[in-house]
Amino acid sequence: HTTVQALLVNIRRHSADTHHVYRCLARLGANLSSLAEEVTPRLLSVDSPYLTLEADMEDPTYVGILILTLSAASANPHVLSLVPSHCLRHWRSLREKEPFITPRIEAVAIGGHLLEFSVLSAPHSLEDAEVG
């Protein structure tokens, strides 16, 4: 959790490094999916007994958390069951914005409840991803 928080602070302090931090978070999620699974509820504030507000897709730290979570889901699909449904809606726009980092996911939701999901593919090789 501390490592992820330090990376998110780096995004706020050094916005020019944002894409590099996103790539690092994607690698962390894909390679340490069980650890990412444990911290996902805290990072997305879904461990609260109160209703979770929909996060802002313009917030680079939220995007970083989403990249970590979705990358973890590419290795551990159970992670998707921990995220609010709005995260899966945000995944679509993130997939367009960061296609080399974001995994392809197929999800079926009815009435705001996630019923079925599967990870179709991991993102393109993170080693070969272009830095924007």
Side-chain angles (χ1 to χ4, degrees), residues 104-120:
R104 291 181 50 213
I105 297 171
E106 181 177 307
V108 176
I110 296 178
H113 298 286
L114 185 63
L115 296 181
E116 180 182 329
F117 58 86
S118 61
V119 177
L120 298 176

Side-chain angles (χ1 to χ4, degrees), residues 27-100:
R27 286 186 185 128
L28 277 174
N31 292 318
L32 300 171
S33 63
S34 60
L35 188 59
E37 178 182 355
E38 288 185 35
V39 298
T40 292
R42 276 187 285 166
L43 291 172
L44 292 172
S45 301
V46 293
D47 59 350
S48 168
Y50 304 105
L51 183 61
T52 303
L53 296 176
E54 188 165 338
D56 181 7
M57 275 298 292
E58 299 301 316
D59 176 3
T61 58
Y62 169 69
V63 171
I65 293 167
L66 202 53
I67 287 171
L68 172 81
T69 303
L70 295 172
S71 296
S74 70
N76 179 358
H78 181 262
V79 174
L80 287 180
S81 68
L82 303 173
V83 301
S85 60
H86 67 261
C87 290
L88 294 175
R89 287 195 311 272
H90 292 168
W91 162 82
R92 288 185 182 99
S93 60
L94 183 59
R95 180 85 179 131
E96 291 176 16
K97 186 177 179 181
E98 299 286 347
F100 291 104

